[in-house]
Amino acid sequence: MNTITPLAAITPLDSSTSDSGSRQQFQQQARPGQTFTATVLESAGNNKFSLNINGQSILAQSDTVKLSAGTELRLQVTSTSPLIELKIISDTPQVNFGQTVTLLGKNIDIGTLFQALTTTPSPLLNSLSTSTQEGLQSFANLQQNSLDGKDGGVILKQLIDRLGISLESLLARGDNKASTQTLKAALLEIGTLLKNAEGIAATANRLLGTIEMYQMANLRLESDNLLLFPLPLPFLDNGYLLFDKGKNSESSDKKDTPLSFSLHLSLQPIGNIEIHFLHSEEGLYIRFACDSIEKKEFTSQFGEELQETVTTGKILGLSFTDTAGDPTSELIQHLVPEGKSMLDTKV
């Protein structure tokens, strides 16, 4: 059966609703056999589109179904694990009957995929190349490591490097060893060799689509002197670091150039968080944003503890706000030029 694959839910760009809470609410409501009515809000390109389900805006993806804005769908839940999958049982006009939609949830976490490859009676992992087996094992081990220790930064860098964001660059340089050890290369092999293993292939393709989304984002952000680093940490629903290359390269004297970067995170039960940093020789400015007034008031109680924890420099300013948005929506705002719309009604 062909599938539509819903990605991590996003809120409309003009909405202040917490996406993490909305997604969690929908996931709690969904039960196998249950039906929902959905309306296609807009196309996001690359076979992705936004659905309105019970007033919640949820990003979806499909390699087989083409939907335009305004299409009404009747969806039935066919699976809730590891991701919510919905079958189209009615649509207007009726051209997609029987197709399925899958709601993607978490960030890049290969735990479910790795378990499926290693726990079958005849482990499918053994059918993959040695480099792919080693790459998957290494990535899975890195994701299980704690980042609290002194090597946390090194582990995080290894995770980001192993994602495969630079796979094509590695291949162009002839660095085959490094390229074959990336998660993207492993997912490409899994999708090809295990295409008949429906659940495994679908999971691999969803993860691959997320990596390619980040690659596309970096290409688009380059013109704004921004550099994005995905944070493939299993405890995050979504997360990335945004580095402002423009502000960090204006001065000819690198010592006098302030560093400007920000963390955009979504995790349960905290919700959406944005942490903006401006670091100079004099010290560090931090703006900590939550997605509600209540969370802002709660986190601000730990201001003194935070100042004691930061040892890399003097904190010159620390503020707390309730202005955090959903990381995916924030990224879309960077990708879509001002005054433009993501709405694409072309058939």
Side-chain angles (χ1 to χ4, degrees), residues 21 48 50 53 59 94 120 137 164 168 182 193 195 242 260 263 287 300 304 322 325 340 344 347:
K48 299 180 180 68
S50 180
I53 302 178
L59 191 63
Q94 292 191 357
T120 55
Q137 182 69 67
E168 288 74 16
T182 65
L193 296 183
K195 60 183 178 182
L242 203 58
S260 176
L263 285 169
R287 186 171 79 250
S300 64
E304 292 185 6
D322 59 352
K340 300 292 183 179
D344 182 2
V347 178

Side-chain angles (χ1 to χ4, degrees), residues 9 19-29 56 268-269:
D19 170 63
S20 296
S22 297
R23 180 167 68 248
Q24 184 182 43
Q25 181 183 0
F26 182 79
Q27 290 173 336
Q28 290 173 346
Q29 292 174 343
Q56 302 167 30
Q268 295 297 336

